[in-house]
Amino acid sequence: MVFENFNKLINKVKSNQEKRRVAVVCAEDEHTLEAIFLAKGDGIVNPILIGNSEKIKEILEKQKNKIEDENIIHADFMEEAAKCGVDLIRENKADYLMKGKIDTSKLLKAVVSKESGLRTGSVMSHVAFLEIPTYKKLLVVTDGGMVLYPTLEEKKAIVENAVKTLKLIGYEKPKVAALCAIEKVNPKMEETVHAKELKDMSLNGEIKDCIIEGPISYDLVMSKKSARIKGFDSPIVEDADILLMANIGTGNIVSKSLIYSANGKMAGIVVGAKVPIVLTSRGSSTEEKYLSLVLASAMDREE
């Protein structure tokens, strides 16, 4: 299964009989609550709102949204709200987390806590799903939000996280493009060396359930014409599912370029913990938050 656009993904989630329970940490944020109640109205989520209960109720009244008092949990501080959200996951009272009006660092501190957190031992990374008018299907960019300058081993984990995410929403064998400025190995450009090693790991079965091409430049990923001119032959050309970034800066710039200059829509979550985390930026629109909820809800539960 491949999703051509977000509407196809939304329809998949709406067809699920079971709503996902989302714990919203510091829910006293207008855009976050708008997104939550859009998703609730579409039968996608059952929310638990954690934070300043008075402010949450004020916003809900302003938006003419209603929720049972038992689904609002008061917390005086960000740290308290974050711990409460993590506890709900650990007690199997929620399926995943969403960031509201809380500093990312404070939410992640609770998530990675050795005593009470949600770490699995894997690298945590960000996956951004993008719908762009010029591409035939949803495109994943990773990692543009978590790992600053990933090592080869961290890139391996980032790829595995993205592949696992796609498989949990129904993909069989995603195609991964390890993006570089050029398509040849240059020892002075570490990302090209990493790309070739990741491709070799895929070929020898060390990285499973995907096809990796690299090093490969962006034009070759997106254009058969460019690939023909350069004599580059690969099943990835015009058919990549995942773009692996050299570092967080590249991932952030590529994602924002596709959104602001190519009319793209985005959904983003953090993976690699025990549950997905909807962790959008402060400037994210209601639509992006809603689509991120859809994405997290689309991931089938692991056995």
Side-chain angles (χ1 to χ4, degrees), residues 22-34 36-37 47-53 55-57 59-60 63 67 71-73 75 78 81-82 98-102:
V22 55
V24 189
V25 179
C26 294
E28 57 271 24
D29 174 77
E30 291 192 12
H31 286 170
T32 298
L33 288 173
E34 283 177 359
I36 282 289
F37 279 86
I48 303 167
L49 308 178
I50 309 163
N52 185 309
S53 56
K55 291 182 179 179
I56 291 170
K57 289 176 181 178
I59 296 171
L60 292 180
Q63 295 177 346
I67 193 171
N71 288 324
I72 300 177
I73 300 174
M78 289 183 183
M98 180 179 190
K99 172 192 169 186
K101 199 171 185 178
I102 181 174

PDB file of all heavy atoms in Angstrom, residues 22-34 36-37 47-53 55-57 59-60 63 67 71-73 75 78 81-82 98-102:
ATOM      1  N   VAL A  22      -5.172  10.000  22.694  1.00  0.00           N
ATOM      2  CA  VAL A  22      -3.998  10.874  22.651  1.00  0.00           C
ATOM      3  C   VAL A  22      -3.938  11.725  23.913  1.00  0.00           C
ATOM      4  O   VAL A  22      -4.922  12.360  24.305  1.00  0.00           O
ATOM      5  CB  VAL A  22      -3.997  11.764  21.386  1.00  0.00           C
ATOM      6  CG1 VAL A  22      -5.276  12.585  21.251  1.00  0.00           C
ATOM      7  CG2 VAL A  22      -2.777  12.684  21.375  1.00  0.00           C
ATOM      8  N   ALA A  23      -2.786  11.713  24.568  1.00  0.00           N
ATOM      9  CA  ALA A  23      -2.551  12.547  25.745  1.00  0.00           C
ATOM     10  C   ALA A  23      -1.870  13.834  25.276  1.00  0.00           C
ATOM     11  O   ALA A  23      -0.753  13.794  24.755  1.00  0.00           O
ATOM     12  CB  ALA A  23      -1.666  11.815  26.749  1.00  0.00           C
ATOM     13  N   VAL A  24      -2.551  14.945  25.446  1.00  0.00           N
ATOM     14  CA  VAL A  24      -2.051  16.240  24.972  1.00  0.00           C
ATOM     15  C   VAL A  24      -1.406  16.967  26.143  1.00  0.00           C
ATOM     16  O   VAL A  24      -2.072  17.318  27.117  1.00  0.00           O
ATOM     17  CB  VAL A  24      -3.193  17.092  24.379  1.00  0.00           C
ATOM     18  CG1 VAL A  24      -2.618  18.334  23.706  1.00  0.00           C
ATOM     19  CG2 VAL A  24      -4.017  16.276  23.390  1.00  0.00           C
ATOM     20  N   VAL A  25      -0.108  17.194  26.050  1.00  0.00           N
ATOM     21  CA  VAL A  25       0.657  17.770  27.149  1.00  0.00           C
ATOM     22  C   VAL A  25       0.681  19.294  27.011  1.00  0.00           C
ATOM     23  O   VAL A  25       1.135  19.835  26.016  1.00  0.00           O
ATOM     24  CB  VAL A  25       2.093  17.216  27.166  1.00  0.00           C
ATOM     25  CG1 VAL A  25       2.898  17.849  28.298  1.00  0.00           C
ATOM     26  CG2 VAL A  25       2.071  15.687  27.317  1.00  0.00           C
ATOM     27  N   CYS A  26       0.181  19.969  28.056  1.00  0.00           N
ATOM     28  CA  CYS A  26       0.015  21.439  28.044  1.00  0.00           C
ATOM     29  C   CYS A  26      -0.927  21.823  26.907  1.00  0.00           C
ATOM     30  O   CYS A  26      -0.547  22.481  25.930  1.00  0.00           O
ATOM     31  CB  CYS A  26       1.347  22.157  27.947  1.00  0.00           C
ATOM     32  SG  CYS A  26       2.393  21.922  29.401  1.00  0.00           S
ATOM     33  N   ALA A  27      -2.168  21.409  27.059  1.00  0.00           N
ATOM     34  CA  ALA A  27      -3.165  21.542  25.992  1.00  0.00           C
ATOM     35  C   ALA A  27      -3.748  22.942  25.854  1.00  0.00           C
ATOM     36  O   ALA A  27      -4.587  23.174  24.986  1.00  0.00           O
ATOM     37  CB  ALA A  27      -4.292  20.533  26.229  1.00  0.00           C
ATOM     38  N   GLU A  28      -3.320  23.882  26.693  1.00  0.00           N
ATOM     39  CA  GLU A  28      -3.891  25.231  26.665  1.00  0.00           C
ATOM     40  C   GLU A  28      -3.325  26.054  25.495  1.00  0.00           C
ATOM     41  O   GLU A  28      -2.675  27.085  25.658  1.00  0.00           O
ATOM     42  CB  GLU A  28      -3.663  25.947  28.006  1.00  0.00           C
ATOM     43  CG  GLU A  28      -2.229  26.068  28.462  1.00  0.00           C
ATOM     44  CD  GLU A  28      -1.745  24.913  29.293  1.00  0.00           C
ATOM     45  OE1 GLU A  28      -2.292  23.797  29.191  1.00  0.00           O
ATOM     46  OE2 GLU A  28      -0.792  25.114  30.062  1.00  0.00           O
ATOM     47  N   ASP A  29      -3.583  25.578  24.278  1.00  0.00           N
ATOM     48  CA  ASP A  29      -3.090  26.212  23.050  1.00  0.00           C
ATOM     49  C   ASP A  29      -4.196  26.127  21.998  1.00  0.00           C
ATOM     50  O   ASP A  29      -4.732  25.045  21.724  1.00  0.00           O
ATOM     51  CB  ASP A  29      -1.831  25.496  22.560  1.00  0.00           C
ATOM     52  CG  ASP A  29      -1.354  26.014  21.228  1.00  0.00           C
ATOM     53  OD1 ASP A  29      -0.754  27.100  21.197  1.00  0.00           O
ATOM     54  OD2 ASP A  29      -1.588  25.329  20.204  1.00  0.00           O
ATOM     55  N   GLU A  30      -4.547  27.268  21.410  1.00  0.00           N
ATOM     56  CA  GLU A  30      -5.714  27.319  20.525  1.00  0.00           C
ATOM     57  C   GLU A  30      -5.569  26.419  19.302  1.00  0.00           C
ATOM     58  O   GLU A  30      -6.481  25.660  18.964  1.00  0.00           O
ATOM     59  CB  GLU A  30      -5.978  28.772  20.098  1.00  0.00           C
ATOM     60  CG  GLU A  30      -6.474  29.657  21.244  1.00  0.00           C
ATOM     61  CD  GLU A  30      -6.998  30.985  20.757  1.00  0.00           C
ATOM     62  OE1 GLU A  30      -7.193  31.147  19.537  1.00  0.00           O
ATOM     63  OE2 GLU A  30      -7.232  31.866  21.608  1.00  0.00           O
ATOM     64  N   HIS A  31      -4.423  26.503  18.591  1.00  0.00           N
ATOM     65  CA  HIS A  31      -4.249  25.694  17.383  1.00  0.00           C
ATOM     66  C   HIS A  31      -4.242  24.203  17.708  1.00  0.00           C
ATOM     67  O   HIS A  31      -4.800  23.391  16.958  1.00  0.00           O
ATOM     68  CB  HIS A  31      -2.963  26.086  16.651  1.00  0.00           C
ATOM     69  CG  HIS A  31      -3.064  27.386  15.934  1.00  0.00           C
ATOM     70  ND1 HIS A  31      -1.969  28.020  15.393  1.00  0.00           N
ATOM     71  CD2 HIS A  31      -4.119  28.189  15.666  1.00  0.00           C
ATOM     72  CE1 HIS A  31      -2.349  29.151  14.825  1.00  0.00           C
ATOM     73  NE2 HIS A  31      -3.655  29.270  14.982  1.00  0.00           N
ATOM     74  N   THR A  32      -3.617  23.853  18.822  1.00  0.00           N
ATOM     75  CA  THR A  32      -3.579  22.448  19.222  1.00  0.00           C
ATOM     76  C   THR A  32      -4.991  21.935  19.492  1.00  0.00           C
ATOM     77  O   THR A  32      -5.379  20.856  19.022  1.00  0.00           O
ATOM     78  CB  THR A  32      -2.706  22.268  20.478  1.00  0.00           C
ATOM     79  OG1 THR A  32      -1.368  22.673  20.172  1.00  0.00           O
ATOM     80  CG2 THR A  32      -2.706  20.821  20.946  1.00  0.00           C
ATOM     81  N   LEU A  33      -5.781  22.700  20.232  1.00  0.00           N
ATOM     82  CA  LEU A  33      -7.138  22.265  20.546  1.00  0.00           C
ATOM     83  C   LEU A  33      -8.028  22.255  19.301  1.00  0.00           C
ATOM     84  O   LEU A  33      -8.902  21.379  19.163  1.00  0.00           O
ATOM     85  CB  LEU A  33      -7.741  23.150  21.638  1.00  0.00           C
ATOM     86  CG  LEU A  33      -7.139  22.921  23.033  1.00  0.00           C
ATOM     87  CD1 LEU A  33      -7.666  23.947  24.025  1.00  0.00           C
ATOM     88  CD2 LEU A  33      -7.439  21.504  23.530  1.00  0.00           C
ATOM     89  N   GLU A  34      -7.825  23.195  18.394  1.00  0.00           N
ATOM     90  CA  GLU A  34      -8.570  23.164  17.128  1.00  0.00           C
ATOM     91  C   GLU A  34      -8.303  21.858  16.390  1.00  0.00           C
ATOM     92  O   GLU A  34      -9.234  21.199  15.902  1.00  0.00           O
ATOM     93  CB  GLU A  34      -8.158  24.346  16.251  1.00  0.00           C
ATOM     94  CG  GLU A  34      -8.769  25.672  16.654  1.00  0.00           C
ATOM     95  CD  GLU A  34      -8.271  26.822  15.798  1.00  0.00           C
ATOM     96  OE1 GLU A  34      -7.437  26.572  14.899  1.00  0.00           O
ATOM     97  OE2 GLU A  34      -8.718  27.955  16.028  1.00  0.00           O
ATOM     98  N   ILE A  36      -7.102  19.022  17.633  1.00  0.00           N
ATOM     99  CA  ILE A  36      -7.613  17.895  18.420  1.00  0.00           C
ATOM    100  C   ILE A  36      -9.106  17.684  18.169  1.00  0.00           C
ATOM    101  O   ILE A  36      -9.569  16.553  17.950  1.00  0.00           O
ATOM    102  CB  ILE A  36      -7.354  18.135  19.923  1.00  0.00           C
ATOM    103  CG1 ILE A  36      -5.896  17.838  20.271  1.00  0.00           C
ATOM    104  CG2 ILE A  36      -8.278  17.299  20.783  1.00  0.00           C
ATOM    105  CD1 ILE A  36      -5.527  16.378  20.235  1.00  0.00           C
ATOM    106  N   PHE A  37      -9.871  18.754  18.177  1.00  0.00           N
ATOM    107  CA  PHE A  37     -11.313  18.594  18.035  1.00  0.00           C
ATOM    108  C   PHE A  37     -11.738  18.373  16.593  1.00  0.00           C
ATOM    109  O   PHE A  37     -12.804  17.783  16.346  1.00  0.00           O
ATOM    110  CB  PHE A  37     -12.048  19.763  18.702  1.00  0.00           C
ATOM    111  CG  PHE A  37     -12.158  19.570  20.183  1.00  0.00           C
ATOM    112  CD1 PHE A  37     -11.136  19.973  21.030  1.00  0.00           C
ATOM    113  CD2 PHE A  37     -13.248  18.921  20.732  1.00  0.00           C
ATOM    114  CE1 PHE A  37     -11.212  19.753  22.396  1.00  0.00           C
ATOM    115  CE2 PHE A  37     -13.336  18.703  22.098  1.00  0.00           C
ATOM    116  CZ  PHE A  37     -12.324  19.113  22.932  1.00  0.00           C
ATOM    117  N   PRO A  47      -9.315  12.457  23.054  1.00  0.00           N
ATOM    118  CA  PRO A  47      -8.239  13.194  23.718  1.00  0.00           C
ATOM    119  C   PRO A  47      -8.329  13.204  25.235  1.00  0.00           C
ATOM    120  O   PRO A  47      -9.415  13.151  25.815  1.00  0.00           O
ATOM    121  CB  PRO A  47      -8.414  14.613  23.172  1.00  0.00           C
ATOM    122  CG  PRO A  47      -9.876  14.729  22.881  1.00  0.00           C
ATOM    123  CD  PRO A  47     -10.350  13.348  22.506  1.00  0.00           C
ATOM    124  N   ILE A  48      -7.154  13.257  25.855  1.00  0.00           N
ATOM    125  CA  ILE A  48      -7.015  13.546  27.278  1.00  0.00           C
ATOM    126  C   ILE A  48      -6.187  14.823  27.356  1.00  0.00           C
ATOM    127  O   ILE A  48      -5.042  14.860  26.864  1.00  0.00           O
ATOM    128  CB  ILE A  48      -6.307  12.408  28.031  1.00  0.00           C
ATOM    129  CG1 ILE A  48      -7.068  11.091  27.842  1.00  0.00           C
ATOM    130  CG2 ILE A  48      -6.180  12.739  29.518  1.00  0.00           C
ATOM    131  CD1 ILE A  48      -6.289   9.868  28.279  1.00  0.00           C
ATOM    132  N   LEU A  49      -6.742  15.869  27.910  1.00  0.00           N
ATOM    133  CA  LEU A  49      -6.111  17.185  27.900  1.00  0.00           C
ATOM    134  C   LEU A  49      -5.440  17.448  29.246  1.00  0.00           C
ATOM    135  O   LEU A  49      -6.110  17.483  30.277  1.00  0.00           O
ATOM    136  CB  LEU A  49      -7.148  18.269  27.600  1.00  0.00           C
ATOM    137  CG  LEU A  49      -8.011  18.032  26.343  1.00  0.00           C
ATOM    138  CD1 LEU A  49      -9.026  19.162  26.183  1.00  0.00           C
ATOM    139  CD2 LEU A  49      -7.139  17.902  25.101  1.00  0.00           C
ATOM    140  N   ILE A  50      -4.135  17.658  29.214  1.00  0.00           N
ATOM    141  CA  ILE A  50      -3.351  17.859  30.434  1.00  0.00           C
ATOM    142  C   ILE A  50      -2.806  19.282  30.440  1.00  0.00           C
ATOM    143  O   ILE A  50      -2.242  19.743  29.433  1.00  0.00           O
ATOM    144  CB  ILE A  50      -2.171  16.868  30.499  1.00  0.00           C
ATOM    145  CG1 ILE A  50      -2.654  15.441  30.280  1.00  0.00           C
ATOM    146  CG2 ILE A  50      -1.432  16.994  31.824  1.00  0.00           C
ATOM    147  CD1 ILE A  50      -1.541  14.477  29.924  1.00  0.00           C
ATOM    148  N   GLY A  51      -2.953  19.977  31.571  1.00  0.00           N
ATOM    149  CA  GLY A  51      -2.408  21.331  31.666  1.00  0.00           C
ATOM    150  C   GLY A  51      -3.228  22.195  32.595  1.00  0.00           C
ATOM    151  O   GLY A  51      -3.895  21.696  33.506  1.00  0.00           O
ATOM    152  N   ASN A  52      -3.187  23.494  32.357  1.00  0.00           N
ATOM    153  CA  ASN A  52      -3.942  24.443  33.166  1.00  0.00           C
ATOM    154  C   ASN A  52      -5.418  24.302  32.819  1.00  0.00           C
ATOM    155  O   ASN A  52      -5.864  24.743  31.754  1.00  0.00           O
ATOM    156  CB  ASN A  52      -3.444  25.861  32.900  1.00  0.00           C
ATOM    157  CG  ASN A  52      -4.106  26.880  33.804  1.00  0.00           C
ATOM    158  OD1 ASN A  52      -5.318  26.935  33.919  1.00  0.00           O
ATOM    159  ND2 ASN A  52      -3.287  27.705  34.454  1.00  0.00           N
ATOM    160  N   SER A  53      -6.173  23.675  33.704  1.00  0.00           N
ATOM    161  CA  SER A  53      -7.561  23.324  33.375  1.00  0.00           C
ATOM    162  C   SER A  53      -8.427  24.562  33.112  1.00  0.00           C
ATOM    163  O   SER A  53      -9.300  24.526  32.236  1.00  0.00           O
ATOM    164  CB  SER A  53      -8.173  22.486  34.496  1.00  0.00           C
ATOM    165  OG  SER A  53      -8.099  23.154  35.737  1.00  0.00           O
ATOM    166  N   LYS A  55      -7.483  27.493  31.813  1.00  0.00           N
ATOM    167  CA  LYS A  55      -7.177  28.024  30.483  1.00  0.00           C
ATOM    168  C   LYS A  55      -7.693  27.095  29.384  1.00  0.00           C
ATOM    169  O   LYS A  55      -8.188  27.561  28.347  1.00  0.00           O
ATOM    170  CB  LYS A  55      -5.667  28.225  30.337  1.00  0.00           C
ATOM    171  CG  LYS A  55      -5.117  29.354  31.193  1.00  0.00           C
ATOM    172  CD  LYS A  55      -3.612  29.544  30.977  1.00  0.00           C
ATOM    173  CE  LYS A  55      -3.089  30.691  31.813  1.00  0.00           C
ATOM    174  NZ  LYS A  55      -1.615  30.878  31.651  1.00  0.00           N
ATOM    175  N   ILE A  56      -7.595  25.800  29.618  1.00  0.00           N
ATOM    176  CA  ILE A  56      -8.111  24.843  28.636  1.00  0.00           C
ATOM    177  C   ILE A  56      -9.617  25.037  28.459  1.00  0.00           C
ATOM    178  O   ILE A  56     -10.122  25.124  27.324  1.00  0.00           O
ATOM    179  CB  ILE A  56      -7.803  23.388  29.076  1.00  0.00           C
ATOM    180  CG1 ILE A  56      -6.297  23.114  28.991  1.00  0.00           C
ATOM    181  CG2 ILE A  56      -8.576  22.395  28.215  1.00  0.00           C
ATOM    182  CD1 ILE A  56      -5.877  21.799  29.619  1.00  0.00           C
ATOM    183  N   LYS A  57     -10.335  25.153  29.561  1.00  0.00           N
ATOM    184  CA  LYS A  57     -11.792  25.315  29.489  1.00  0.00           C
ATOM    185  C   LYS A  57     -12.173  26.652  28.848  1.00  0.00           C
ATOM    186  O   LYS A  57     -13.173  26.727  28.118  1.00  0.00           O
ATOM    187  CB  LYS A  57     -12.399  25.193  30.887  1.00  0.00           C
ATOM    188  CG  LYS A  57     -12.357  23.758  31.424  1.00  0.00           C
ATOM    189  CD  LYS A  57     -12.871  23.676  32.857  1.00  0.00           C
ATOM    190  CE  LYS A  57     -12.805  22.254  33.388  1.00  0.00           C
ATOM    191  NZ  LYS A  57     -13.261  22.156  34.796  1.00  0.00           N
ATOM    192  N   ILE A  59     -10.512  28.232  26.484  1.00  0.00           N
ATOM    193  CA  ILE A  59     -10.321  28.085  25.035  1.00  0.00           C
ATOM    194  C   ILE A  59     -11.421  27.207  24.436  1.00  0.00           C
ATOM    195  O   ILE A  59     -11.968  27.521  23.371  1.00  0.00           O
ATOM    196  CB  ILE A  59      -8.932  27.485  24.724  1.00  0.00           C
ATOM    197  CG1 ILE A  59      -7.827  28.440  25.180  1.00  0.00           C
ATOM    198  CG2 ILE A  59      -8.786  27.206  23.228  1.00  0.00           C
ATOM    199  CD1 ILE A  59      -6.429  27.845  25.122  1.00  0.00           C
ATOM    200  N   LEU A  60     -11.758  26.127  25.129  1.00  0.00           N
ATOM    201  CA  LEU A  60     -12.811  25.247  24.630  1.00  0.00           C
ATOM    202  C   LEU A  60     -14.146  25.988  24.533  1.00  0.00           C
ATOM    203  O   LEU A  60     -14.891  25.822  23.552  1.00  0.00           O
ATOM    204  CB  LEU A  60     -12.965  24.031  25.547  1.00  0.00           C
ATOM    205  CG  LEU A  60     -11.803  23.035  25.565  1.00  0.00           C
ATOM    206  CD1 LEU A  60     -12.120  21.884  26.516  1.00  0.00           C
ATOM    207  CD2 LEU A  60     -11.520  22.499  24.173  1.00  0.00           C
ATOM    208  N   GLN A  63     -14.084  28.232  21.561  1.00  0.00           N
ATOM    209  CA  GLN A  63     -14.176  27.474  20.312  1.00  0.00           C
ATOM    210  C   GLN A  63     -15.477  26.687  20.199  1.00  0.00           C
ATOM    211  O   GLN A  63     -15.724  26.048  19.176  1.00  0.00           O
ATOM    212  CB  GLN A  63     -12.989  26.502  20.205  1.00  0.00           C
ATOM    213  CG  GLN A  63     -11.641  27.185  20.090  1.00  0.00           C
ATOM    214  CD  GLN A  63     -10.481  26.194  20.062  1.00  0.00           C
ATOM    215  OE1 GLN A  63     -10.647  25.016  20.390  1.00  0.00           O
ATOM    216  NE2 GLN A  63      -9.310  26.658  19.669  1.00  0.00           N
ATOM    217  N   ILE A  67     -15.881  18.715  26.175  1.00  0.00           N
ATOM    218  CA  ILE A  67     -15.275  17.441  26.541  1.00  0.00           C
ATOM    219  C   ILE A  67     -15.615  17.176  28.006  1.00  0.00           C
ATOM    220  O   ILE A  67     -15.806  18.112  28.798  1.00  0.00           O
ATOM    221  CB  ILE A  67     -13.741  17.474  26.326  1.00  0.00           C
ATOM    222  CG1 ILE A  67     -13.152  16.066  26.410  1.00  0.00           C
ATOM    223  CG2 ILE A  67     -13.055  18.412  27.309  1.00  0.00           C
ATOM    224  CD1 ILE A  67     -11.686  16.000  25.996  1.00  0.00           C
ATOM    225  N   ASN A  71     -11.804  14.038  31.345  1.00  0.00           N
ATOM    226  CA  ASN A  71     -10.749  13.975  30.334  1.00  0.00           C
ATOM    227  C   ASN A  71      -9.874  15.232  30.318  1.00  0.00           C
ATOM    228  O   ASN A  71      -9.111  15.453  29.368  1.00  0.00           O
ATOM    229  CB  ASN A  71     -11.343  13.744  28.950  1.00  0.00           C
ATOM    230  CG  ASN A  71     -11.859  12.325  28.788  1.00  0.00           C
ATOM    231  OD1 ASN A  71     -11.265  11.391  29.308  1.00  0.00           O
ATOM    232  ND2 ASN A  71     -12.967  12.170  28.090  1.00  0.00           N
ATOM    233  N   ILE A  72     -10.005  16.058  31.355  1.00  0.00           N
ATOM    234  CA  ILE A  72      -9.105  17.186  31.559  1.00  0.00           C
ATOM    235  C   ILE A  72      -8.365  16.953  32.872  1.00  0.00           C
ATOM    236  O   ILE A  72      -8.986  16.773  33.925  1.00  0.00           O
ATOM    237  CB  ILE A  72      -9.866  18.525  31.623  1.00  0.00           C
ATOM    238  CG1 ILE A  72     -10.625  18.778  30.316  1.00  0.00           C
ATOM    239  CG2 ILE A  72      -8.890  19.674  31.900  1.00  0.00           C
ATOM    240  CD1 ILE A  72     -11.470  20.051  30.333  1.00  0.00           C
ATOM    241  N   ILE A  73      -7.043  16.918  32.805  1.00  0.00           N
ATOM    242  CA  ILE A  73      -6.217  16.681  33.992  1.00  0.00           C
ATOM    243  C   ILE A  73      -5.422  17.945  34.285  1.00  0.00           C
ATOM    244  O   ILE A  73      -4.640  18.400  33.437  1.00  0.00           O
ATOM    245  CB  ILE A  73      -5.266  15.487  33.790  1.00  0.00           C
ATOM    246  CG1 ILE A  73      -6.068  14.215  33.504  1.00  0.00           C
ATOM    247  CG2 ILE A  73      -4.374  15.294  35.008  1.00  0.00           C
ATOM    248  CD1 ILE A  73      -5.217  13.007  33.155  1.00  0.00           C
ATOM    249  N   ALA A  75      -2.594  20.376  35.627  1.00  0.00           N
ATOM    250  CA  ALA A  75      -1.170  20.357  35.989  1.00  0.00           C
ATOM    251  C   ALA A  75      -0.704  21.799  36.103  1.00  0.00           C
ATOM    252  O   ALA A  75      -0.979  22.624  35.232  1.00  0.00           O
ATOM    253  CB  ALA A  75      -0.357  19.604  34.948  1.00  0.00           C
ATOM    254  N   MET A  78       4.815  22.755  33.471  1.00  0.00           N
ATOM    255  CA  MET A  78       5.105  21.971  32.270  1.00  0.00           C
ATOM    256  C   MET A  78       5.656  20.598  32.620  1.00  0.00           C
ATOM    257  O   MET A  78       5.253  19.580  32.041  1.00  0.00           O
ATOM    258  CB  MET A  78       6.118  22.710  31.382  1.00  0.00           C
ATOM    259  CG  MET A  78       5.599  23.933  30.698  1.00  0.00           C
ATOM    260  SD  MET A  78       6.868  24.666  29.605  1.00  0.00           S
ATOM    261  CE  MET A  78       6.000  26.119  29.033  1.00  0.00           C
ATOM    262  N   ALA A  81       2.962  18.296  33.782  1.00  0.00           N
ATOM    263  CA  ALA A  81       2.113  17.869  32.671  1.00  0.00           C
ATOM    264  C   ALA A  81       2.807  16.803  31.828  1.00  0.00           C
ATOM    265  O   ALA A  81       2.187  15.813  31.412  1.00  0.00           O
ATOM    266  CB  ALA A  81       1.744  19.071  31.804  1.00  0.00           C
ATOM    267  N   ALA A  82       4.109  16.996  31.585  1.00  0.00           N
ATOM    268  CA  ALA A  82       4.864  16.030  30.786  1.00  0.00           C
ATOM    269  C   ALA A  82       4.922  14.674  31.468  1.00  0.00           C
ATOM    270  O   ALA A  82       4.708  13.625  30.842  1.00  0.00           O
ATOM    271  CB  ALA A  82       6.270  16.555  30.520  1.00  0.00           C
ATOM    272  N   MET A  98       0.974  14.068  22.409  1.00  0.00           N
ATOM    273  CA  MET A  98       1.022  15.243  21.541  1.00  0.00           C
ATOM    274  C   MET A  98       1.550  16.425  22.342  1.00  0.00           C
ATOM    275  O   MET A  98       1.138  16.654  23.483  1.00  0.00           O
ATOM    276  CB  MET A  98      -0.362  15.578  20.991  1.00  0.00           C
ATOM    277  CG  MET A  98      -0.363  16.793  20.070  1.00  0.00           C
ATOM    278  SD  MET A  98      -2.002  17.165  19.407  1.00  0.00           S
ATOM    279  CE  MET A  98      -1.584  18.399  18.165  1.00  0.00           C
ATOM    280  N   LYS A  99       2.441  17.161  21.741  1.00  0.00           N
ATOM    281  CA  LYS A  99       2.974  18.374  22.354  1.00  0.00           C
ATOM    282  C   LYS A  99       1.988  19.522  22.175  1.00  0.00           C
ATOM    283  O   LYS A  99       1.523  19.794  21.075  1.00  0.00           O
ATOM    284  CB  LYS A  99       4.311  18.742  21.699  1.00  0.00           C
ATOM    285  CG  LYS A  99       4.854  20.095  22.147  1.00  0.00           C
ATOM    286  CD  LYS A  99       6.016  20.536  21.262  1.00  0.00           C
ATOM    287  CE  LYS A  99       6.385  21.988  21.540  1.00  0.00           C
ATOM    288  NZ  LYS A  99       7.409  22.510  20.621  1.00  0.00           N
ATOM    289  N   GLY A 100       1.676  20.191  23.289  1.00  0.00           N
ATOM    290  CA  GLY A 100       0.884  21.405  23.234  1.00  0.00           C
ATOM    291  C   GLY A 100       1.787  22.609  23.469  1.00  0.00           C
ATOM    292  O   GLY A 100       2.826  22.748  22.834  1.00  0.00           O
ATOM    293  N   LYS A 101       1.394  23.444  24.441  1.00  0.00           N
ATOM    294  CA  LYS A 101       2.152  24.670  24.731  1.00  0.00           C
ATOM    295  C   LYS A 101       3.232  24.368  25.760  1.00  0.00           C
ATOM    296  O   LYS A 101       3.202  24.838  26.890  1.00  0.00           O
ATOM    297  CB  LYS A 101       1.197  25.753  25.234  1.00  0.00           C
ATOM    298  CG  LYS A 101       1.751  27.168  25.138  1.00  0.00           C
ATOM    299  CD  LYS A 101       0.665  28.182  25.448  1.00  0.00           C
ATOM    300  CE  LYS A 101       1.147  29.600  25.240  1.00  0.00           C
ATOM    301  NZ  LYS A 101       0.078  30.582  25.489  1.00  0.00           N
ATOM    302  N   ILE A 102       4.206  23.558  25.345  1.00  0.00           N
ATOM    303  CA  ILE A 102       5.283  23.143  26.233  1.00  0.00           C
ATOM    304  C   ILE A 102       6.594  23.191  25.471  1.00  0.00           C
ATOM    305  O   ILE A 102       6.628  22.924  24.254  1.00  0.00           O
ATOM    306  CB  ILE A 102       5.042  21.715  26.793  1.00  0.00           C
ATOM    307  CG1 ILE A 102       6.168  21.302  27.743  1.00  0.00           C
ATOM    308  CG2 ILE A 102       4.846  20.695  25.676  1.00  0.00           C
ATOM    309  CD1 ILE A 102       5.930  19.977  28.452  1.00  0.00           C
TER     310      ILE A 102
END
